Amino acid sequence: MTTPSPGPAPATARRIAAPVTADLLVVGAELVATVDADRREIRGGWVAVTDGLVSAIGGPGELPPPASRVLRADGALVTPGLVNTHHHIYQNLTRAFAPALGGTLFTWLSTLYPLWSRLDEEAVHVSAYVGLTELALGGCTTSTDHLYVHPRGGGDLISAEIAAARELGMRFHPTRGSMSRSVKDGGLPPDSVVQDDDEILAESQRLVERHHDPSWGAMVRLALAPCSPFSVSPELMRATAELAERLDVRLHTHLAEDPEEDEYCLATFGRRPIDQFAEVGWAGDRAWVAHCICPNPQEVARLGAWGTGVAHCPSSNMILGGGLAPVAEMRAAGVPVGLGCDGSSSADSASLWLESRTAMLLGRLRHGAASMSARDALEMATRGGAGCLGRVGEIGELSVGSAGDLVVWPLDGVAFAGALSDPIDAWLRCGPVAARHTVVAGRLVVEDGRSAHPDLPAMLDRHRVLAGGIQRAFDDAGVDPSTTATASPAGTRR
Ligand SMILES: [Zn+2]
């Protein structure tokens, strides 16, 4: 896929123009890890942001520009903002929902779909406000969201979550999810939360036309995202790919999450999931997919050749227990691999720092201690995520002309005592750590470890009320999970 807008030319100079009064100057960092094309790491570095973009970067020997606001980063690590490539934010309304936790995957899905069928615009707005705040506290500046439950009468849920992202100032890539196969078609969801193909495609186009911004530094971009190749028809997969091509937006779906999915696809389509993915016109660099736990070596090579991105969700892989994505193999094959926290219900926490650390630990567990460093994990959480979202050079790095999205991470206190030699290793091996400051487009979303938005306590109160109402659907319906876990299509573990 071509970059939607050329943006500034790759800068060789370290400033766009000087002297310019920057909007924000971050100074005094222990280390600035730029994760740029040269992977520059600047001891004692500083970063200036002007009009939402990085306008200058330098070290102790270089004079920073004057700035309207100066943010001290003494003793801290500064990284690009982390990029979350897979999530279902609305699921925080049923986080760690006890009746769904003890059974099989299909138990919890069957239990939760009737609850999620109560989603409406307010519930999605409040859950997105809280969920995006949680992400910002963990150092995320750009998040995607895969919202595929659209109950009849629930309203315009994608616009509701975009409104929350705009209020918070988070960079946001919602994906218009869809399901067209309900219980009567052999799927899991009830009829009330699936839509027909024409409705899905028309709504997808309307949302792209209303919200998608292809320009450099865009705060909102949409992608199209059938839930999985088997929760919609092959015809809808194909039509969605064609629509994405026409509108020049990206494609997202779940793929190759479970060995059962292989069996299901072989039985239903006569081919493996990744073959089916190619069959319906998705193979290419317009798409990034969630999980990708079960590709065989030939399929890993094909994904790399296509340039199809993968959202690796390490906590989700572990909680669901269905296997671990072959991350080292995919990266070696040239697959853009980013990190995702996945939805509450599959992971229940939403810290990209935690996902970065978990990715590092899992990588070392699979392939040995030398196989995955803190820098590898940082790279996946930043540049890798930018690759998934088609924004390399624009987000996920700190370079002149890139988005002014950065995180100031504290490296002090008890957890970091004695960690003097390498701030990046210390950042991921010590901890736990949350952002001291999270900056998106030059504006603070998290300041001194707290949300910069005074509405958060009221939104949390409202979230509690809304979540309680949705969870009461379980009692209202008298659902007994032991009676709802029946044979179901594979790979529908959303
Ligand atoms: Zn998912």
Side-chain angles (χ1 to χ4, degrees):
M1 177 187 177
T2 54
T3 305
S5 154
T12 48
R14 292 183 171 187
R15 299 176 184 221
I16 290 177
V20 167
T21 299
D23 297 324
L24 181 72
L25 177 66
V26 179
V27 291
E30 176 75 16
L31 184 81
V32 175
T34 65
V35 204
D36 69 1
D38 301 323
R39 312 301 194 267
R40 283 191 300 150
E41 296 176 3
I42 308 170
R43 290 262 174 193
W46 52 262
V47 182
V49 180
T50 308
D51 293 334
L53 303 177
V54 173
S55 50
I57 298 179
E62 297 156 298
L63 194 63
S68 305
R69 179 165 188 187
V70 175
L71 200 61
R72 299 296 314 182
D74 300 86
L77 172 67
V78 173
T79 69
L82 308 186
V83 179
N84 183 30
T85 58
H86 187 63
H87 202 355
H88 310 287
I89 298 178
Y90 72 91
Q91 291 179 0
N92 66 21
L93 293 159
T94 52
R95 179 134 60 177
F97 184 60
L101 300 180
T104 67
L105 163 66
F106 297 135
T107 302
W108 76 249
L109 265 182
S110 302
T111 306
L112 290 171
Y113 272 129
L115 277 61
W116 295 338
S117 71
R118 294 194 175 189
L119 281 179
D120 60 16
E121 289 180 3
E122 187 192 10
V124 165
H125 176 257
V126 173
S127 68
Y129 191 103
V130 170
L132 290 169
T133 299
E134 181 181 14
L135 285 164
L137 291 166
C140 174
T141 54
T142 298
S143 184
T144 186
D145 185 45
H146 191 181
L147 176 46
Y148 55 85
V149 177
H150 295 277
R152 219 158 287 143
D156 184 347
L157 304 188
I158 299 284
S159 296
E161 63 174 349
I162 289 172
R166 289 196 194 281
E167 288 161 32
L168 293 167
M170 287 288 280
R171 207 175 296 279
F172 195 37
H173 280 237
T175 72
R176 207 295 177 179
S178 54
M179 296 189 293
S180 61
R181 299 179 73 240
S182 70
V183 174
K184 68 176 173 10
D185 311 305
L188 268 185
D191 270 355
S192 60
V193 299
V194 306
Q195 297 171 301
D196 66 35
D197 291 8
D198 290 344
E199 187 179 6
I200 289 166
L201 292 166
E203 184 65 0
S204 297
Q205 177 160 348
R206 182 189 71 81
L207 287 164
V208 169
E209 288 169 351
R210 178 171 174 197
H211 295 295
H212 181 75
D213 178 1
S215 67
W216 187 268
M219 294 300 290
V220 176
R221 286 200 188 154
L222 261 78
L224 308 186
C227 186
S228 70
F230 22 78
S231 54
V232 303
S233 65
E235 292 73 29
L236 182 59
M237 286 295 288
R238 200 170 284 116
T240 302
E242 289 165 2
L243 183 61
E245 183 84 27
R246 185 156 61 79
L247 299 175
D248 195 15
V249 296
R250 297 184 74 75
L251 288 163
H252 183 52
T253 191
H254 296 90
L255 187 68
E257 310 185 50
D258 193 296
E260 281 182 86
E261 182 181 332
D262 292 355
E263 295 164 24
Y264 179 80
C265 285
L266 282 167
T268 308
F269 306 120
R271 51 181 80 86
R272 290 171 51 77
I274 290 173
D275 291 331
Q276 178 66 11
F277 177 80
E279 172 69 18
V280 293
W282 278 55
D285 63 359
R286 188 178 292 284
W288 88 102
V289 299
H291 304 305
C292 220
I293 292 167
C294 303
N296 64 32
Q298 293 76 26
E299 291 166 341
V300 168
R302 294 174 77 197
L303 290 166
W306 294 336
T308 300
V310 168
H312 172 43
C313 305
S315 293
S316 172
N317 285 185
M318 292 169 74
I319 281 194
L320 294 170
L324 302 174
V327 172
E329 295 90 331
M330 292 193 291
R331 295 183 78 216
V335 175
V337 179
L339 297 181
C341 62
D342 206 359
S344 304
S345 299
S346 325
D348 287 318
S349 65
S351 156
L352 265 287
W353 175 85
L354 184 60
E355 296 307 318
S356 302
R357 177 178 160 88
T358 308
M360 177 181 75
L361 299 182
L362 278 179
R364 296 164 80 93
L365 181 65
R366 283 188 82 241
H367 293 291
S371 64
M372 178 74 77
S373 68
R375 284 171 174 76
D376 291 322
L378 173 62
E379 176 137 342
M380 283 195 285
T382 52
R383 288 185 79 85
C388 287
L389 300 183
R391 301 186 78 167
V392 171
E394 187 185 5
I395 62 171
E397 69 175 75
L398 295 173
S399 57
V400 172
S402 70
D405 301 355
L406 59 85
V407 186
V408 177
W409 302 94
L411 299 178
D412 51 16
V414 171
F416 289 93
L420 305 179
S421 58
D422 188 321
I424 296 178
D425 270 320
W427 170 67
L428 219 48
R429 296 173 71 109
C430 308
V433 58
R436 179 187 293 165
H437 308 303
T438 301
V439 172
V440 183
R443 291 184 292 272
L444 276 93
V445 178
V446 170
E447 184 170 3
D448 293 322
R450 303 166 73 93
S451 170
H453 296 278
D455 290 345
L456 181 62
M459 292 298 259
L460 279 170
D461 287 345
R462 191 65 192 145
H463 190 279
R464 188 174 185 84
V465 170
L466 293 164
I470 284 173
Q471 292 178 25
R472 269 195 301 280
F474 179 78
D475 302 320
D476 296 349
V479 179
D480 176 359
S482 67
T483 64
T484 56
T486 53
S488 314
T492 46
R493 60 163 46 148
R494 323 292 148 230

